[in-house]
Amino acid sequence: MSAEMQNYIDEAEKALLHTYNRYQVVFDKGEGVYLYDVDGKKYLDFVAGIAVFALGYHNEEYNDALKGQIDKIIHTSNYYYNVPAIEAAKRIKEVSGMDRVFFTNSGAEAVEGAIKTARKYAWLKDGRTDHEIIAMNHSFHGRTMGALSVTGNPHYREAFEPMIGNIKFADLNDFDSVMAQVTDRTCAILFETVQGEGGIYPASEEFMKKVRALCDERDILMILDEIQCGMGRTGHMFAWQRYGIKPDVMTTAKALGCGVPVGAFLMTEKVGSASLVAGDHGTTYGGNPLACTAVCKVIELFEKQEVPANAAKVGAYLEKRLDEIVAEFSSVQTRRGVGLLQGLVFDKPVGDIIKRAMDKGLVLINAGTNIIRFVPPLVIEEKHVDDMIGILRECIAEAEGEQQ
Ligand SMILES: *Cc1c(COP(=O)(O)O)cnc(C)c1O
């Protein structure tokens, strides 16, 4: 590392609140599926800013659209209409099949909005203020108090108790465990279609369909968090679209703006017409013209470049290559995932392997201690998968060698 890069890192550690154990690298720019640090070293990127930069870096058309909007207007207020927000709302309705959208600045805020929607919907029906939400163990929904309250990892919540209350936890893909938590006050069942941070666990089709039927029967809202698994990553625009069901409410963020901070919660007309009204919810920045220009361009380029289809194709290839790794190395136990959202489960912490990969110019990230997560840009090609696998094999072999 150059003295210049070390100096940046030292400065960062003096000024930024230490809420991350950061990797020792300062990234400077990106080109396609590659990142460059301030020393000019090139890295193949299998993280994409954690499932964000789906289009690859330095996409001219995307960048030009943003530059054009910056010169027009960046922000107005949600008290006025703006053209990019109108267009973005129309486009996201088309690709999701949902009817109403509220734009936020982040994933956590989208989850907050979904929780408020569910509580208001239930309150309008019976006037009670003790409604319950069922969320899942090992889930992740964000760091704000409401989103944290439905995050099924006690470690994230412990120091920040009390949570918002009336949240119950069940196990993904265990319908009986959900039934065990249902009461006459249950207003929503909330989960990620594919659990991301919690270890890359896809919801089973059977579970999806049973939850959908239960929610229909009791007028409980089915809320799917598509913040990580959505936007083309599983081969469908939204991961739930491969199950032949539809949620009542869904959240999205991460790749929605491909780097410009924007999220959204969406709902069907049934929910939209019987939940939040003027005065119930708001945001200063959410859905501003710059953010919505990004959303419009992302959806347009996803369609034009057939990004979800590429994720399905290259995702299948990635699966195959990762399965070879499972067969080859004793420290690798299994692979889980859908499309370009994959996890490789090890019998030990993966920090060492990720550091070795960084040294060799490959950016990887974990999900939990023992899992390497693969969430590359969705424009990735098979040759990039081959390059990644080559470096990964070296790193695992080295790590296994040192252990003996
Ligand atoms: C990242 C993530 C969030 C939180 O999004 P932020 O933009 O970091 O607030 C919520 N849910 C899931 C499934 C996520 O992966």
Side-chain angles (χ1 to χ4, degrees):
M1 182 189 306
S2 68
E4 186 199 9
M5 181 138 79
Q6 187 61 57
N7 191 42
Y8 280 128
I9 292 172
D10 294 344
E11 290 293 322
E13 288 305 327
K14 274 186 235 159
L16 290 168
L17 189 65
H18 196 99
T19 54
Y20 285 91
N21 289 317
R22 291 182 165 86
Y23 291 99
Q24 297 299 294
V25 63
V26 183
F27 285 126
D28 184 42
K29 61 178 185 180
E31 193 65 54
V33 298
Y34 297 97
L35 284 167
Y36 294 82
D37 69 19
V38 290
D39 292 345
K41 180 178 163 185
K42 184 179 178 183
Y43 300 79
L44 175 58
D45 179 21
F46 263 71
V47 177
I50 312 198
V52 169
F53 228 108
L55 292 170
Y57 303 100
H58 198 182
N59 182 301
E60 298 269 358
E61 217 179 302
Y62 170 87
N63 287 6
D64 287 346
L66 291 179
K67 287 175 200 166
Q69 188 60 45
I70 284 171
D71 287 337
K72 270 176 135 178
I73 190 165
I74 294 173
H75 182 78
T76 55
S77 155
N78 282 309
Y79 281 106
Y80 316 103
Y81 299 100
N82 73 78
V83 175
I86 295 164
E87 192 60 29
K90 212 164 76 187
R91 298 312 314 279
I92 199 165
K93 276 181 56 174
E94 281 165 13
V95 295
S96 67
M98 292 281 149
D99 301 310
R100 299 266 163 192
V101 55
F102 183 103
F103 289 110
T104 65
N105 309 290
S106 68
E109 283 173 81
V111 172
E112 297 289 334
I115 292 172
K116 283 179 73 174
T117 301
R119 283 189 167 182
K120 180 79 192 286
Y121 181 84
W123 181 79
L124 283 172
K125 283 195 296 182
D126 64 14
R128 295 179 69 140
T129 54
D130 58 353
H131 293 110
E132 298 166 350
I133 295 173
I134 300 174
M136 301 298 144
N137 292 312
H138 304 297
S139 64
F140 181 83
H141 297 291
R143 304 296 195 149
T144 55
M145 288 309 294
L148 199 56
S149 301
V150 290
T151 289
N153 183 338
H155 167 75
Y156 290 142
R157 298 196 310 261
E158 194 181 4
F160 308 102
E161 297 280 352
M163 295 288 111
I164 63 169
N166 288 22
I167 309 297
K168 295 175 151 190
F169 288 97
D171 289 318
L172 187 76
N173 294 338
D174 179 351
F175 184 70
D176 291 341
S177 77
V178 174
M179 278 311 290
Q181 301 295 348
V182 175
T183 71
D184 61 346
R185 282 154 294 148
T186 307
C187 69
I189 300 174
L190 159 69
F191 56 99
E192 299 154 81
T193 316
V194 183
Q195 288 188 335
E197 303 297 312
I200 324 293
Y201 289 98
S204 71
E205 182 166 349
E206 187 194 351
F207 183 76
M208 275 287 190
K209 291 194 161 153
K210 284 186 171 171
V211 170
R212 183 63 271 176
L214 169 70
C215 289
D216 286 340
E217 192 187 304
R218 308 218 184 177
D219 199 18
I220 294 168
L221 298 186
M222 180 179 187
I223 306 176
L224 292 178
D225 182 340
E226 289 263 339
I227 291 167
Q228 186 156 165
C229 61
M231 293 305 293
R233 188 157 290 281
T234 64
H236 288 85
M237 196 63 170
F238 295 105
W240 57 261
Q241 288 169 332
R242 77 191 173 102
Y243 296 87
I245 57 102
K246 189 170 160 180
D248 302 296
V249 180
M250 62 163 277
T251 59
T252 175
K254 289 198 164 87
L256 177 64
C258 276
V260 171
V262 59
F265 60 100
L266 297 98
M267 62 197 76
T268 59
E269 190 61 36
K270 179 186 115 177
V271 181
S273 60
S275 57
L276 302 178
V277 294
D280 278 344
H281 199 55
T283 165
T284 298
Y285 283 143
N288 83 10
L290 183 67
C292 284
T293 296
V295 174
C296 290
K297 208 52 174 176
V298 167
I299 295 175
E300 183 192 325
L301 291 172
F302 265 49
E303 287 180 342
K304 202 157 87 179
Q305 301 180 11
E306 296 179 5
V307 168
N310 187 65
K313 176 172 144 270
V314 182
Y317 186 69
L318 174 62
E319 272 187 19
K320 180 176 138 246
R321 300 296 328 256
L322 290 176
D323 284 341
E324 289 168 20
I325 298 276
V326 176
E328 183 175 349
F329 293 99
S330 61
S331 62
V332 188
Q333 295 178 322
T334 190
R335 174 199 61 79
R336 281 195 295 268
V338 193
L340 289 176
L341 174 54
Q342 297 286 340
L344 209 48
V345 185
F346 286 71
D347 65 0
K348 57 170 188 273
V350 294
D352 170 55
I353 293 170
I354 293 175
K355 283 207 186 88
R356 285 174 196 273
M358 279 292 234
D359 288 342
K360 296 178 198 288
L362 168 65
V363 186
L364 295 172
I365 195 107
N366 62 307
T369 337
N370 289 7
I371 301 171
I372 296 181
R373 169 173 31 169
F374 302 86
V375 281
L378 301 183
V379 294
I380 205 130
E381 298 167 35
E382 290 176 1
K383 65 173 195 255
H384 302 124
V385 173
D386 290 336
D387 291 349
M388 181 280 286
I389 292 285
I391 299 173
L392 181 64
R393 288 181 74 241
E394 277 176 36
C395 296
I396 301 173
E398 281 174 21
E400 285 191 357
E402 261 179 35
Q403 232 182 8
Q404 275 148 19

Coordinates of all heavy atoms in Angstrom, one line a residue, residues 229-258:
C229 N -32.6 -8.9 -2.7 CA -32.8 -10.0 -3.7 C -33.6 -9.5 -4.9 O -33.7 -10.2 -5.9 CB -33.6 -11.2 -3.1 SG -35.2 -10.8 -2.4
G230 N -34.1 -8.3 -4.9 CA -34.9 -7.8 -6.0 C -34.1 -7.1 -7.1 O -32.9 -7.3 -7.1
M231 N -34.8 -6.4 -8.0 CA -34.1 -5.7 -9.1 C -33.3 -6.6 -10.0 O -32.1 -6.4 -10.2 CB -33.3 -4.5 -8.6 CG -34.1 -3.4 -7.9 SD -35.4 -2.8 -9.0 CE -34.5 -2.0 -10.3
G232 N -33.8 -7.8 -10.4 CA -33.2 -8.6 -11.4 C -32.2 -9.6 -10.9 O -31.9 -10.5 -11.7
R233 N -31.8 -9.5 -9.7 CA -30.7 -10.4 -9.2 C -31.0 -11.9 -9.3 O -30.1 -12.7 -9.6 CB -30.3 -10.0 -7.8 CG -29.1 -10.7 -7.3 CD -28.4 -9.9 -6.2 NE -27.8 -8.6 -6.6 CZ -26.6 -8.5 -7.2 NH1 -25.9 -9.6 -7.4 NH2 -26.2 -7.4 -7.6
T234 N -32.3 -12.3 -9.1 CA -32.6 -13.7 -9.2 C -33.0 -14.2 -10.6 O -33.4 -15.3 -10.8 CB -33.7 -14.1 -8.2 OG1 -34.9 -13.4 -8.6 CG2 -33.4 -13.7 -6.8
G235 N -32.9 -13.3 -11.5 CA -33.4 -13.6 -12.9 C -34.8 -13.1 -13.2 O -35.2 -13.0 -14.3
H236 N -35.5 -12.6 -12.1 CA -36.8 -11.9 -12.3 C -36.6 -10.5 -11.8 O -35.7 -10.3 -10.9 CB -37.9 -12.6 -11.5 CG -38.3 -13.9 -12.1 ND1 -37.7 -15.1 -11.8 CD2 -39.3 -14.2 -13.0 CE1 -38.3 -16.1 -12.5 NE2 -39.3 -15.5 -13.2
M237 N -37.4 -9.6 -12.3 CA -37.2 -8.2 -11.7 C -37.3 -8.2 -10.2 O -36.5 -7.7 -9.5 CB -38.3 -7.3 -12.3 CG -38.0 -5.9 -12.2 SD -36.5 -5.4 -13.1 CE -36.5 -3.7 -12.9
F238 N -38.3 -9.0 -9.7 CA -38.4 -9.1 -8.2 C -38.5 -10.6 -7.9 O -39.1 -11.4 -8.7 CB -39.6 -8.4 -7.7 CG -39.5 -6.9 -7.8 CD1 -40.2 -6.2 -8.8 CD2 -38.5 -6.2 -7.1 CE1 -39.9 -4.8 -9.0 CE2 -38.3 -4.8 -7.2 CZ -39.0 -4.1 -8.2
A239 N -37.8 -11.0 -6.9 CA -37.6 -12.5 -6.6 C -38.9 -13.2 -6.4 O -39.1 -14.4 -6.8 CB -36.7 -12.7 -5.4
W240 N -40.0 -12.5 -5.9 CA -41.3 -13.2 -5.7 C -42.0 -13.5 -7.0 O -42.8 -14.4 -7.0 CB -42.2 -12.4 -4.8 CG -42.5 -11.0 -5.2 CD1 -41.9 -9.8 -4.8 CD2 -43.5 -10.6 -6.2 NE1 -42.5 -8.7 -5.5 CE2 -43.4 -9.2 -6.3 CE3 -44.5 -11.3 -7.0 CZ2 -44.3 -8.4 -7.2 CZ3 -45.3 -10.6 -7.8 CH2 -45.2 -9.2 -7.9
Q241 N -41.5 -12.9 -8.1 CA -42.2 -13.1 -9.3 C -42.1 -14.6 -9.9 O -42.8 -15.0 -10.8 CB -41.8 -12.1 -10.4 CG -42.4 -10.7 -10.0 CD -41.8 -9.6 -10.9 OE1 -40.7 -9.6 -11.3 NE2 -42.6 -8.5 -11.0
R242 N -41.1 -15.3 -9.3 CA -41.0 -16.7 -9.9 C -41.8 -17.7 -9.1 O -41.9 -18.9 -9.4 CB -39.5 -17.1 -9.8 CG -39.0 -17.5 -8.4 CD -37.5 -17.6 -8.4 NE -37.0 -17.8 -7.1 CZ -36.6 -19.0 -6.6 NH1 -36.7 -20.1 -7.3 NH2 -36.2 -19.1 -5.4
Y243 N -42.6 -17.2 -8.1 CA -43.4 -18.1 -7.3 C -44.9 -18.1 -7.7 O -45.7 -18.9 -7.1 CB -43.4 -17.8 -5.8 CG -42.0 -17.9 -5.2 CD1 -41.1 -16.8 -5.2 CD2 -41.6 -19.1 -4.6 CE1 -39.8 -16.9 -4.7 CE2 -40.4 -19.2 -4.0 CZ -39.5 -18.1 -4.0 OH -38.3 -18.2 -3.4
G244 N -45.3 -17.3 -8.6 CA -46.7 -17.2 -9.0 C -47.6 -16.7 -7.9 O -48.8 -17.0 -7.9
I245 N -47.0 -15.9 -7.0 CA -47.8 -15.2 -6.0 C -47.5 -13.7 -6.1 O -46.6 -13.3 -6.8 CB -47.6 -15.7 -4.6 CG1 -46.1 -15.6 -4.2 CG2 -48.1 -17.2 -4.4 CD1 -45.7 -14.5 -3.4
K246 N -48.2 -12.9 -5.3 CA -48.0 -11.5 -5.3 C -48.1 -11.0 -3.8 O -49.1 -11.4 -3.2 CB -49.0 -10.8 -6.2 CG -48.7 -9.4 -6.4 CD -49.7 -8.9 -7.5 CE -49.9 -7.4 -7.6 NZ -50.8 -7.0 -8.6
P247 N -47.2 -10.2 -3.3 CA -47.3 -9.7 -2.0 C -48.4 -8.6 -1.9 O -48.7 -8.1 -3.0 CB -45.9 -9.2 -1.6 CG -45.4 -8.8 -2.9 CD -45.9 -9.8 -4.0
D248 N -48.8 -8.2 -0.7 CA -49.6 -7.0 -0.6 C -48.8 -5.7 -0.6 O -49.2 -4.7 -1.0 CB -50.5 -7.1 0.7 CG -51.3 -8.4 0.7 OD1 -52.2 -8.5 -0.2 OD2 -51.1 -9.2 1.5
V249 N -47.6 -5.9 0.0 CA -46.7 -4.7 0.2 C -45.3 -5.3 -0.1 O -45.0 -6.4 0.2 CB -46.7 -4.2 1.6 CG1 -45.8 -3.0 1.8 CG2 -48.2 -3.7 2.0
M250 N -44.5 -4.5 -0.8 CA -43.1 -4.9 -0.9 C -42.1 -3.7 -0.8 O -42.5 -2.6 -1.0 CB -42.9 -5.6 -2.3 CG -43.1 -4.7 -3.5 SD -42.4 -5.3 -5.0 CE -40.7 -4.7 -4.9
T251 N -40.9 -4.0 -0.4 CA -39.9 -3.0 -0.3 C -38.8 -3.2 -1.3 O -38.5 -4.4 -1.7 CB -39.3 -3.0 1.1 OG1 -38.6 -4.3 1.3 CG2 -40.3 -2.7 2.2
T252 N -38.2 -2.2 -1.8 CA -37.0 -2.3 -2.7 C -36.1 -1.1 -2.3 O -36.5 -0.1 -1.7 CB -37.4 -2.3 -4.2 OG1 -36.2 -2.3 -5.0 CG2 -38.3 -1.1 -4.5
A253 N -34.8 -1.3 -2.7 CA -33.8 -0.2 -2.5 C -32.5 -0.7 -3.3 O -32.6 -1.1 -4.4 CB -33.5 0.1 -1.1
K254 N -31.4 -0.7 -2.6 CA -30.1 -1.2 -3.2 C -30.0 -0.9 -4.7 O -29.7 0.2 -5.0 CB -29.8 -2.6 -2.8 CG -29.5 -2.7 -1.3 CD -28.8 -4.0 -0.9 CE -28.2 -3.9 0.5 NZ -29.1 -4.2 1.6
A255 N -30.3 -1.9 -5.6 CA -30.0 -1.7 -7.0 C -31.1 -0.8 -7.7 O -30.9 -0.5 -8.8 CB -30.0 -3.0 -7.7
L256 N -32.1 -0.4 -6.9 CA -33.1 0.5 -7.5 C -32.6 1.7 -8.2 O -33.0 2.2 -9.2 CB -34.2 0.8 -6.5 CG -35.3 1.7 -6.9 CD1 -36.2 1.1 -8.0 CD2 -36.2 2.1 -5.7
G257 N -31.6 2.4 -7.5 CA -31.0 3.6 -8.0 C -29.6 3.3 -8.5 O -28.9 4.3 -9.0
C258 N -29.1 2.1 -8.4 CA -27.7 1.8 -8.8 C -26.7 2.8 -8.2 O -25.8 3.2 -9.0 CB -27.6 1.6 -10.3 SG -28.1 0.0 -10.8

